């Protein structure tokens, strides 16, 4: 964490730039089904988990990824920290292309990008003590002052006194404490970028506020760029500067959080916002349950992927032309929507 | 990287403002203590069960006997106690001392003139050697192969699992017999053949464990932190499958001893070593049963049974610890 040179590169580029990210999973892998496929001359089937996602994330900025279950939020998040090799597309971290990074660059990236997982009962090794869990990243990167750093990270995560937790195993901790340990582990390397995948959804409701405020503090004090993943829009509204709404592996709308929540434009965003209970009483909205099921994104619908469930279906164009995510003439904020309802302000019709 | 615009909460630590020399936890002492605690806990749980305790005492008893065999056995196991005419083996065996007052042999002698009690004592060496070596190797190879296949998946997994499937196509005892017949009858060849066939079940079970472990978020977290494959296999996968390896090791003791006895019984045992299996074989060759010389074949039979059952009981007890649903 101490290369002093070349702030020029990192200041011109956003911290993270994602361009056309795709991640497809082959289904029916394995010998028998591939033999069957070969004899019957069929193509392999793919789940289009992430299918062309682009966005930028500035230093210190927080971005929320929202969408129904299975729309590819986790897959996107995991690709961002290089847990998945993208099928296509580019991810640049401080101007460095992750798909073509050498060992040294990758090592640098591994020190600076961390992930917090949904289930604190699964994200800590049951056979490792808290101390060893936090020491692991430090040892991997040969960072000194192990104990002092661990102590500091645990204190920051409000696990006090830290020494008391050193020899505890995960099963001796409560869910909230575990998630705090997981957060401390992510912070102990002093990263710049964190992906938080549903960080509180497995926690008891009474514990959520505490963990969320810890994460706010963490974003603040570490000047972190964070991608929050959640299906809970009220949580994202609270935590994020910007929002991106995903549907079937694509971003359908993105922009500043308040713009999107107060004034959603994509029909999918609207139904998503109406589907969640809005805590604010003077935002009187009728609640609409999302009708229909998201497919598993194997046979992706032609045209707009949402057309089968869309309440504002306007005709053939929805089924034939796939809309591109772009700024529309109707809106003067920097929102981007992919929907045929609005006029492109760019070149195409 | 732009450290200037970022105030790290670790800044003072990195600048050495914290006196770190005596702050750092002594890693080795700490690890040793944690290991001791874990082992002690597992040991307590294991020995909680009366049957497991008895089984352990039995194995310990045979281990002591095997180690101190030269002091316990009154005679050499393959020392002829009397010579027949022109050195030809004669079938004038001696009855056990508790049946005949003239006999000075605790369990009598074989038709070849060997002291049965001494053979029994020395036979424990072969049994435990076969059992323990087979256990260590089947569990070791199986765990290594299973972890590799499960963690890497893909082609590596396919290849390794095809080998395992192939081995599963071969029945244990007949294949060991053929292998030993080809390689020559020696204890090491028998052991080798048993190990070659036995690691398959450990490998398969460990692989399926590794397959699910590698998808667990704590493994993902280690990958995000930059851990190497070897680091993940040794620190995250291995400790979590170790109880299972141990379990299969305990079962392997029993299977290996049974297999060795089986191979020896049909006459492919090591001619220079006495094992309980070779004792059974020679008692059959001389039709001890027809002559009512039960003291020749009952004692080795009981010994085999005791050790084998003990192996299964320990494995079973451990299974209950590692898999609480069985309780
Ligand atoms: N390793 C994998 N192999 C095959 N398919 C996968 C894999 N990971 C995810 N998928 C599929 O990709 C799609 C997107 O999954 P993903 O977990 O990214 O969704 P999500 O938005 O995080 O959903 P949730 O809200 O339920 O967590 C799903 O259809 C899922 O079944
Ligand atoms: Mg998810």
């Amino acid at each position: 964490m101490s290369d002093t040179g070349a702030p020029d590169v990192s200041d011109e580029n956003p911290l993270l730039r994602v361009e056309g990210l795709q991640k497809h999973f082959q289904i029916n892998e394995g010998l028998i089904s591939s033999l069957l496929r070969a004899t019957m001359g069929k193509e392999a089937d793919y789940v289009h988990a992430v299918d062309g996602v682009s966005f930028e994330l500035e230093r210190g900025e927080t971005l929320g990824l929202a969408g129904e279950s299975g729309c590819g939020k986790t897959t996107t998040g995991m690709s961002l920290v290089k847990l998945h090799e993208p099928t296509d597309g580019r991810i640049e971290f401080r101007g460095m292309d992750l798909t073509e990074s050498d060992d040294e660059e990758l090592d640098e990236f591994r020190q600076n990008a961390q992930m917090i997982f949904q289930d604190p009962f699964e994200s800590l090794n049951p056979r490792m003590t808290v101390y060893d869990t936090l020491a692991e990243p430090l040892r991997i990167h040969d960072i000194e002052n192990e104990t002092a750093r661990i102590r500091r990270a645990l204190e920051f995560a409000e696990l006090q006194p830290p020494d008391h937790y050193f020899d505890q195993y995960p099963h001796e901790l409560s869910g909230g404490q575990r998630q705090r340990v997981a957060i401390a582990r992510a912070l102990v390397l002093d990263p710049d970028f964190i992906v938080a995948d549903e960080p509180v959804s497995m926690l008891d409701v009474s514990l959520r506020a505490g963990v969320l405020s810890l994460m706010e503090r963490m974003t603040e004090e570490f000047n972190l760029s964070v991608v929050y993943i959640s299906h809970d829009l009220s949580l994202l509204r609270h935590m994020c500067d910007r929002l991106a709404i995903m549907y079937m592996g694509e971003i359908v709308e993105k922009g500043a959080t308040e713009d999107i929540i107060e004034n959603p434009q994509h029909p999918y965003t609207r139904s998503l916002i109406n589907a969640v209970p809005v805590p604010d009483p003077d935002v009187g909205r009728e609640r609409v349950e999302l009708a229909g099921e998201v497919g598993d994104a194997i046979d992706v619908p032609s045209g707009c992927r949402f057309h089968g469930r869309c309440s504002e279906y306007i005709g053939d164009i929805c089924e034939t032309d796939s809309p591109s995510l772009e700024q529309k003439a109707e809106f003067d904020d920097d929102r981007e929507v992919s929907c045929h309802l609005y006029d492109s302000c760019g070149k195409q019709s | 990287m732009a450290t200037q615009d970022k105030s790290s909460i670790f800044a003072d630590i990195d600048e050495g403002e914290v006196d770190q020399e005596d702050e750092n936890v002594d890693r080795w002492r700490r690890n040793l203590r944690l290991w001791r605690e874990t082992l002690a806990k597992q040991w307590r749980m294991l020995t909680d069960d009366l049957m497991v305790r008895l089984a352990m005492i039995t194995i310990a008893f045979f281990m002591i006997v095997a180690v101190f065999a030269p002091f316990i056995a009154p005679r050499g196991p393959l020392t002829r106690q009397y010579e027949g005419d022109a050195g030809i083996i004669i079938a004038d065996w001696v009855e056990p001392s508790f049946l005949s007052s003239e006999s000075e042999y605790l369990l009598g002698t074989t038709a070849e003139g060997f002291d049965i009690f001494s053979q029994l004592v020395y036979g424990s060496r072969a049994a435990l050697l076969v059992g323990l070596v087979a256990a260590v190797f089947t569990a070791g190879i199986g765990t290594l192969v299973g972890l590799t296949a499960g963690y890497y998946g893909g082609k590596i997994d396919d290849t390794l699992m095809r080998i395992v499937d192939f081995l599963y196509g071969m029945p244990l005892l007949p294949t060991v017999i053929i292998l030993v017949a080809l390689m020559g009858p020696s204890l090491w060849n028998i052991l080798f053949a048993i190990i070659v066939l036995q690691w398959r079940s450990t490998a398969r079970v460990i692989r399926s464990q590794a397959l699910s472990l590698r998808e667990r978020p704590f493994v993902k977290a280690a990958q995000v932190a930059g851990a190497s494959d070897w680091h993940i296999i040794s620190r995250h996968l291995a400790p979590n499958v170790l109880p299972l390896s141990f379990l299969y090791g305990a079962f392997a003791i029993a299977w290996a001893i049974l297999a060795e006895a089986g191979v020896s019984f049909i006459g492919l045992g090591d001619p220079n070593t006495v094992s309980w299996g070779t004792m059974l074989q020679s008692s059959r060759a001389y039709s001890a049963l027809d002559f009512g010389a039960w003291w020749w074949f009952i004692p080795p039979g009981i010994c085999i049974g005791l050790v084998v059952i003990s192996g299964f009981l320990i494995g079973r007890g451990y299974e209950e610890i590692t898999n609480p649903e069985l309780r």
Side-chain angles (χ1 to χ4, degrees), chain A residues 122 136 151-152 190 192, chain B residues 6 9 23 216 231 236:
Chain A
E122 285 283 311
E136 179 175 50
R151 219 171 253 143
R152 186 66 55 85
D190 202 357
D192 295 340
Chain B
K6 188 172 148 185
I9 61 162
E23 286 269 326
R216 299 267 293 271
H231 179 102
H236 289 283

Side-chain angles (χ1 to χ4, degrees), chain A residues 3 83 94 110 122-123 125 127 129 131-132 136 141 145 147 149 151-152 167 187 190-192 221, chain B residues 1 6 8-10 12-14 20 23-25 30 33 216 218 223-225 231 236 239-240:
Chain A
D3 55 327
L83 277 174
R94 290 198 212 129
R110 288 294 186 209
E122 285 283 311
S123 64
N125 187 336
R127 290 181 197 278
T129 61
Y131 185 90
D132 290 326
E136 179 175 50
H141 294 285
N145 305 329
T147 308
R149 271 183 170 252
R151 219 171 253 143
R152 186 66 55 85
D167 288 344
L187 293 179
D190 202 357
D192 295 340
E221 292 200 23
Chain B
M1 178 196 55
K6 188 172 148 185
S8 160
I9 61 162
F10 302 113
D12 59 325
I13 298 176
D14 291 335
Q20 28 120 352
E23 286 269 326
N24 259 342
V25 168
R30 194 170 162 281
R33 175 169 56 80
R216 299 267 293 271
F218 66 79
Q223 285 170 338
V224 171
H231 179 102
H236 289 283
N240 283 293

Side-chain angles (χ1 to χ4, degrees), chain A residues 25 47 49 68-76 84 118 198 231 296:
Chain A
F25 294 107
V47 180
E68 280 167 293
S69 186
C71 68
K73 305 183 295 292
T74 298
T75 310
T76 306
H84 288 310
Q118 179 170 15
E198 313 251 15
H231 52 260
D296 23 3

Side-chain angles (χ1 to χ4, degrees), chain A residues 17-306:
Chain A
R17 175 184 285 141
V18 182
E19 273 170 30
L21 176 71
Q22 290 188 0
K23 179 66 196 175
H24 298 175
F25 294 107
Q26 187 177 346
I27 52 174
N28 311 326
E29 268 175 304
L31 201 68
I32 307 232
S33 44
S34 54
L35 271 179
L36 270 178
R37 264 204 311 279
T39 48
M40 292 164 65
K42 276 207 318 193
E43 292 270 309
D45 285 331
Y46 290 93
V47 180
H48 300 236
V50 178
D51 214 11
V53 159
S54 306
F55 62 85
E56 289 181 359
L57 189 67
E58 300 294 338
R59 187 176 292 275
E61 191 181 34
T62 50
L63 171 76
L65 274 185
E68 280 167 293
S69 186
C71 68
K73 305 183 295 292
T74 298
T75 310
T76 306
M78 286 187 158
S79 304
L80 295 182
V81 292
K82 223 167 150 48
L83 277 174
H84 288 310
E85 218 39 66
T87 311
D88 198 14
R90 281 164 64 88
I91 302 174
E92 275 177 25
F93 185 75
R94 290 198 212 129
M96 163 187 96
D97 187 351
L98 281 188
T99 44
E100 285 162 12
S101 55
D102 56 33
D103 285 355
E104 202 179 313
E105 288 172 325
L106 187 63
D107 192 62
E108 166 90 8
F109 175 71
R110 288 294 186 209
Q111 274 195 43
N112 282 303
Q114 296 298 317
M115 183 155 181
I116 295 166
F117 295 86
Q118 179 170 15
D119 187 349
F121 291 82
E122 285 283 311
S123 64
L124 302 176
N125 187 336
R127 290 181 197 278
M128 267 164 81
T129 61
V130 169
Y131 185 90
D132 290 326
T133 300
L134 264 74
E136 179 175 50
L138 297 174
R139 291 180 189 163
I140 290 171
H141 294 285
D142 284 327
I143 293 172
E144 294 181 350
N145 305 329
E146 186 179 287
T147 308
R149 271 183 170 252
I150 290 172
R151 219 171 253 143
R152 186 66 55 85
L154 286 175
E155 274 167 9
F156 186 84
E158 290 156 16
L159 294 168
Q160 305 260 28
D163 292 54
H164 170 74
Y165 292 92
F166 278 5
D167 288 344
Q168 302 223 299
Y169 286 92
H171 67 87
E172 297 169 310
L173 304 174
S174 71
Q177 287 171 329
R178 288 186 210 203
Q179 197 61 306
R180 287 172 190 275
V181 171
I183 291 171
R185 169 181 57 192
L187 293 179
V188 78
L189 282 175
D190 202 357
D192 295 340
F193 169 53
I194 283 189
V195 174
D197 186 1
E198 313 251 15
V200 295
S201 67
M202 302 289 279
L203 298 183
D204 206 86
V205 182
S206 60
L207 298 171
R208 290 185 183 175
V211 173
L212 284 177
S213 79
L214 164 62
M215 297 191 56
E216 270 181 315
R217 210 153 50 77
M218 139 192 129
T219 315
E220 190 72 14
E221 292 200 23
F222 283 73
N223 193 24
L224 275 177
S225 308
V226 186
V227 170
Y228 283 102
I229 295 174
S230 179
H231 52 260
D232 182 351
L233 281 169
S234 57
L235 184 154
L236 292 180
R237 177 183 200 175
H238 185 65
M239 304 290 291
C240 300
D241 305 327
R242 288 195 305 138
L243 274 187
I245 311 292
M246 283 186 75
Y247 186 78
M248 261 202 204
E250 291 179 333
I251 293 179
V252 294
E253 180 165 5
K254 73 178 176 199
T257 303
E258 283 310 307
D259 291 344
I260 290 192
I261 302 265
E262 293 296 336
N263 193 14
Q265 294 304 335
H266 195 286
Y268 177 66
T269 314
R270 283 189 202 148
S271 52
L272 200 64
I273 286 173
N274 289 334
V276 295
V278 182
D280 199 352
D282 44 39
V283 189
R285 278 205 189 85
E286 45 168 355
R287 289 192 44 190
V288 180
E289 297 286 56
L290 261 68
E293 278 283 310
V294 221
D296 23 3
I298 297 169
D299 297 315
V300 178
S302 64
C304 172
R305 296 185 178 183
F306 191 54

Side-chain angles (χ1 to χ4, degrees), chain B residues 241-300:
Chain B
V241 301
L242 220 55
L244 216 63
S245 314
F246 185 86
L247 174 73
Y248 274 78
F251 286 140
I253 297 180
W255 284 118
I257 290 174
L258 278 180
E260 190 276 336
V263 173
S264 301
F265 182 69
I266 59 159
L268 285 169
D270 191 331
N272 304 314
T273 324
V274 176
S275 78
W276 297 330
T278 57
M279 289 174 74
L280 288 179
Q281 191 268 333
S282 46
S283 80
R284 190 192 52 112
Y286 289 96
S287 312
L289 184 62
D290 298 341
F291 293 104
W294 55 264
W295 52 86
W296 193 353
F297 52 84
I298 296 278

Side-chain angles (χ1 to χ4, degrees), chain B residues 117-199:
Chain B
F117 178 70
S118 300
Q119 289 207 327
L120 201 62
V121 168
Y122 275 96
S124 64
R125 290 190 154 184
L128 288 181
L129 186 73
V130 167
L132 295 180
V133 173
V136 167
F137 277 89
T138 51
I141 297 174
T143 303
L144 224 61
V145 171
L147 285 178
T148 312
Y151 179 71
Y152 287 102
K155 289 217 167 57
I156 296 177
D157 181 33
D158 271 345
T159 315
L160 290 172
M161 284 305 113
R162 287 306 83 77
I163 298 174
V164 168
D165 288 344
F166 172 75
L167 288 175
Y168 259 105
M170 307 208 271
L172 179 63
L173 206 50
T175 314
V176 172
I177 289 168
I178 291 170
L179 281 177
V180 172
L182 288 176
M183 295 185 299
S186 88
L187 202 61
W188 295 110
N189 286 346
I190 296 175
L191 247 176
F192 175 80
I194 291 172
I195 292 168
V196 163
L197 279 178
Q198 273 291 48
W199 62 269

